[in-house]
Amino acid sequence: MSSVCLRHKDRETDIRCAACLRPICEECIVMGPGNSRFCSTECSENAQKSSERFADMTRRDEEALHAARRAAFARLVIVVLFLFVLGVGLHVAWPSLPQALTGPVESWFDQIRNLKLD
Ligand SMILES: [Zn+2]
Ligand SMILES: [Zn+2]
């Protein structure tokens, strides 16, 4: 299905502007970025601007994703550090902790050891 050119009503064409989709003939083609064909420099510039805006958007999305990943990683590091410090602290403080606290825990470990031996 062919249409007539936007400016030359006597010329049939299958080519359409990449931005506004209006039919244009060979003579009216304005080459834009990425070998796209436009009806006018306006359309070409508009397409270029919107593609730049799109690239800008994806860049911002990627940055947001990276920031979220960094934040998640930082949280993980903090949790691991906290557990490490807690473990070391417990290990160091274990002998000086009251028997009421350490006794039950040590008896659990004894039970687990006995289970494995059986
Ligand atoms: Zn156009
Ligand atoms: Zn034309």
Side-chain angles (χ1 to χ4, degrees), residues 55-70:
D56 205 43
M57 250 165 54
T58 32
R59 205 181 312 130
R60 237 175 291 148
D61 279 356
E62 269 171 22
E63 273 167 21
L65 194 71
H66 284 171
R69 270 199 208 133
R70 270 198 298 273

Side-chain angles (χ1 to χ4, degrees), residues 18-104:
C20 66
L21 301 178
R22 282 182 294 197
I24 40 171
C25 73
E26 298 277 355
E27 198 191 311
C28 299
I29 289 172
V30 176
M31 291 306 289
N35 271 347
S36 303
R37 291 174 294 193
F38 298 96
C39 67
S40 59
T41 45
E42 256 172 60
C43 273
S44 164
E45 277 166 17
N46 282 345
Q48 201 169 355
K49 263 181 229 155
S50 64
S51 77
E52 273 167 15
R53 214 176 303 137
F54 181 73
D56 205 43
M57 250 165 54
T58 32
R59 205 181 312 130
R60 237 175 291 148
D61 279 356
E62 269 171 22
E63 273 167 21
L65 194 71
H66 284 171
R69 270 199 208 133
R70 270 198 298 273
F73 183 71
R75 272 199 296 276
L76 185 72
V77 168
I78 287 167
V79 168
V80 168
L81 266 180
F82 175 74
L83 287 177
F84 179 73
V85 169
L86 190 74
V88 169
L90 263 179
H91 182 74
V92 169
W94 198 254
S96 56
L97 286 175
Q99 184 67 33
L101 197 74
T102 58

Side-chain angles (χ1 to χ4, degrees), residues 4-11 13 23-29:
V4 288
C5 172
L6 192 65
R7 292 190 198 91
H8 308 92
K9 299 294 177 193
D10 56 331
R11 290 188 200 173
T13 177
I24 40 171
C25 73
E26 298 277 355
E27 198 191 311
C28 299
I29 289 172

